[in-house]
Amino acid sequence: MSLRGVPGDTFSIMVSRWACDRCGFVAWTRDRSDISEVTGSHLLAHHSDALSKSDFRVSWDCPYCATAKTAYDTDGAVAEFKTHLHGHATDRIDDGVHVADRVGWDGVVRVDASPTGGEADALRAHFHGAAGLVVAVTPAPERLVRALDERLSSWPRRTVIVSTGEYDFEATPDVDFEGLDVELVELDPRLSPDEVGETVSRILDANHEPGERVSLEVSVFHQIVAAFDVERAVAFVRMLAARLADAGGVLQLYVDADADRNVATVLNFLDETIDLTVAVDGDRFVRRP
């Protein structure tokens, strides 16, 4: 099924970002008010020595200004200190940004989340909603369709779903495809990584428009690693990253390194290829070192 549509609305998927000036920690939240909990807790970890307890009382002494407080209520004092620390971080909060800005919309992002679990859907929609062309290599096409339809105010200009899993558009009658440009490409599960990569490359050739952002999702990384040796799995990701760099876009690898020892091994070999690692916590995204 292929129906023409309009470019996706990127406003609804933009987020707020805070980057710590002491370390490489970065957090993104969909609601700016949610970031206060992140900043306060993170800065308290850096300045835990500024909090002390003696004589039945709890005291804190701000490392950024002359403010100091003493109280009997430990929990209340800690919460107040976090709120105070957040006040010193507000000038480093940026609004209306995207996680891919961190790599200039040209690189490889490792997403530490189950490829087929619901926890990754928020970040999946975040990336795909800001692109004109979306190519998603996934074993769960129905989950992808529902995630985009439920979370985005409008779909990308063009969405190509590449999958070994079967999906009947009529299986989701609640999703209105009228006016959308969505295509399903079914893969033979016996294809090699090179053949999968060639399929993706041909899709990019046929669908990418000059100057358009590309969001390429690979949620079959575990299957690639399981079916082929480490060397071929590493080569697959590197070639895909190089091909996407030609078009300009972001490749997202959805992985759960704890699920398979071989996956962790392949990821170690890809350290220099991966530009950014992000963990997902609900609608909050956190950069991992």
Side-chain angles (χ1 to χ4, degrees):
M1 186 178 202
S2 182
L3 302 167
R4 289 296 296 177
V6 296
D9 173 12
T10 61
F11 179 80
S12 61
I13 47 78
M14 304 307 278
V15 295
S16 294
R17 176 187 63 214
W18 178 74
C20 177
D21 59 358
R22 289 174 58 102
C23 65
F25 179 84
V26 184
W28 297 265
T29 63
R30 291 182 63 84
D31 187 336
R32 193 181 203 273
S33 62
D34 289 343
I35 216 160
S36 61
E37 180 184 343
V38 178
T39 58
S41 297
H42 184 82
L43 290 175
L44 178 59
H46 279 308
H47 302 291
S48 57
D49 57 344
L51 188 69
S52 61
K53 186 172 184 178
S54 64
D55 300 330
F56 311 107
R57 298 178 298 175
V58 177
S59 302
W60 56 264
D61 189 354
C62 178
Y64 299 105
C65 66
T67 305
K69 292 288 184 69
T70 299
Y72 283 99
D73 179 7
T74 300
D75 291 341
V78 171
E80 185 182 25
F81 190 26
K82 287 182 179 179
T83 300
H84 181 84
L85 289 171
H86 168 68
H88 288 290
T90 53
D91 61 345
R92 296 184 61 83
I93 299 175
D94 297 313
D95 297 314
V97 300
H98 195 281
V99 172
D101 295 341
R102 195 76 184 179
V103 294
W105 272 96
D106 182 13
V108 180
V109 176
R110 166 182 162 182
V111 181
D112 282 348
S114 170
T116 56
E119 64 176 320
D121 285 346
L123 190 58
R124 181 174 280 122
H126 176 68
F127 273 98
H128 296 340
L133 171 63
V134 169
V135 181
V137 189
T138 174
E142 184 176 339
R143 168 170 285 283
L144 173 72
V145 167
R146 290 195 178 278
L148 297 187
D149 193 64
E150 292 171 2
R151 291 176 178 268
L152 298 182
S153 56
S154 61
W155 282 57
R157 176 191 65 82
R158 171 80 163 144
T159 304
V160 183
I161 305 169
V162 184
S163 182
T164 55
E166 294 183 358
Y167 175 62
D168 182 353
F169 284 91
E170 295 180 358
T172 49
D174 52 319
V175 178
D176 183 9
F177 290 100
E178 186 65 34
L180 303 181
D181 191 346
V182 184
E183 180 181 357
L184 177 68
V185 176
E186 294 185 16
L187 286 182
D188 186 330
R190 296 169 296 182
L191 291 180
S192 69
D194 287 349
E195 290 169 315
V196 174
E198 181 181 335
T199 299
V200 171
S201 182
R202 288 178 179 274
I203 290 172
L204 292 174
D205 282 338
N207 295 279
H208 182 227
E209 295 185 354
E212 183 177 54
R213 285 176 176 172
V214 180
S215 179
L216 172 57
E217 169 186 341
V218 174
S219 293
V220 295
F221 187 61
H222 288 241
Q223 290 89 328
I224 293 290
V225 172
F228 303 97
D229 57 43
V230 170
E231 185 177 351
R232 294 185 75 187
V234 170
F236 167 73
V237 174
R238 287 176 176 166
M239 286 190 292
L240 211 53
R243 175 62 184 86
L244 189 57
D246 240 10
V250 175
L251 164 63
Q252 306 119 56
L253 296 176
Y254 288 80
V255 298
D256 181 0
D258 296 331
D260 188 326
R261 184 178 60 185
N262 289 333
V263 168
T265 300
V266 173
L267 289 173
N268 286 336
F269 281 106
L270 290 171
D271 268 349
E272 294 183 0
T273 303
I274 294 172
D275 301 290
L276 178 66
T277 298
V278 179
V280 182
D281 179 13
D283 281 347
R284 180 187 302 166
F285 316 132
V286 177
R287 178 186 182 271
R288 283 188 170 174

